[in-house]
Amino acid sequence: QYGAQASPAVEDHRASMTEYWSTDHAAPTLENMMLDSNAGDMDRLERPEILSALPSLQGKKVLELGAGIGRFSGVLARKAGEVVAVDFVKSSCIENQRLNAGCNNLRVMHGDVTQLDLEPNSFDLVFSNWLLMYLTDEEVNDFAAN
């Protein structure tokens, strides 16, 4: 069950990810978030393709998981009725809020997606990009069930 005690391997993995993102890659930049010095080029190429796969967001409530610095948050907020963007790197949340300050329908939350406890069926769409690769198989199974 989601929220149950995680295995020691998962706890070690979460601790490792927390340390990694709070030290080595804590600076809220596109390059750090995408782990590539050519992140700007990569973003220009992949973002339109990803966004083209989404359904209409008009009036929808969207949950964005692993939002990072908000490279999708603002776009989602301009199309949706409401967006809740979650990331567990505090500096990324702050940068997301700064970059998307004009989006009154965007709420940025600092939190670990593996520990979220949100009201069931409270979102029309869950969006994520590049998140699942940072989770263990056990976390993905629990996450999907939630």
Side-chain angles (χ1 to χ4, degrees):
Q1 176 170 357
Y2 195 79
Q5 182 67 31
S7 70
V10 167
E11 288 179 8
D12 287 348
H13 178 74
R14 293 307 314 142
S16 174
M17 287 288 100
T18 300
E19 181 180 348
Y20 177 80
W21 287 106
S22 63
T23 56
D24 297 340
H25 288 84
T29 66
L30 188 61
E31 291 76 17
N32 275 348
M33 194 176 77
M34 295 180 75
L35 307 175
D36 195 298
S37 59
N38 294 315
D41 293 336
M42 193 179 343
D43 181 52
R44 278 189 291 283
L45 292 171
E46 80 167 6
R47 192 185 325 196
E49 180 180 355
I50 291 165
L51 292 170
S52 73
L54 294 177
S56 170
L57 300 177
Q58 179 106 21
K60 303 283 193 229
K61 187 170 182 182
V62 177
L63 176 62
E64 181 186 12
L65 300 175
I69 62 171
R71 72 185 189 116
F72 287 102
S73 302
V75 175
L76 295 172
R78 285 188 289 279
K79 296 179 179 220
E82 181 181 349
V83 175
V84 175
V86 181
D87 201 273
F88 87 135
V89 178
K90 182 76 168 172
S91 59
S92 292
C93 292
I94 292 167
E95 182 67 359
N96 189 343
Q97 289 170 325
R98 187 189 71 76
L99 290 174
N100 297 299
C103 297
N104 296 328
N105 62 335
L106 172 63
R107 181 169 58 119
V108 179
M109 284 178 49
H110 176 239
D112 187 331
V113 301
T114 66
Q115 302 298 315
L116 287 180
D117 185 20
L118 302 171
E119 187 68 32
N121 302 311
S122 56
F123 294 92
D124 300 303
L125 179 93
V126 177
F127 175 85
S128 184
N129 181 252
W130 290 38
L131 170 67
L132 298 180
M133 68 184 186
Y134 295 111
L135 304 178
T136 66
D137 290 347
E138 183 180 332
E139 288 172 317
V140 170
N141 288 335
D142 291 345
F143 171 81
N146 189 34

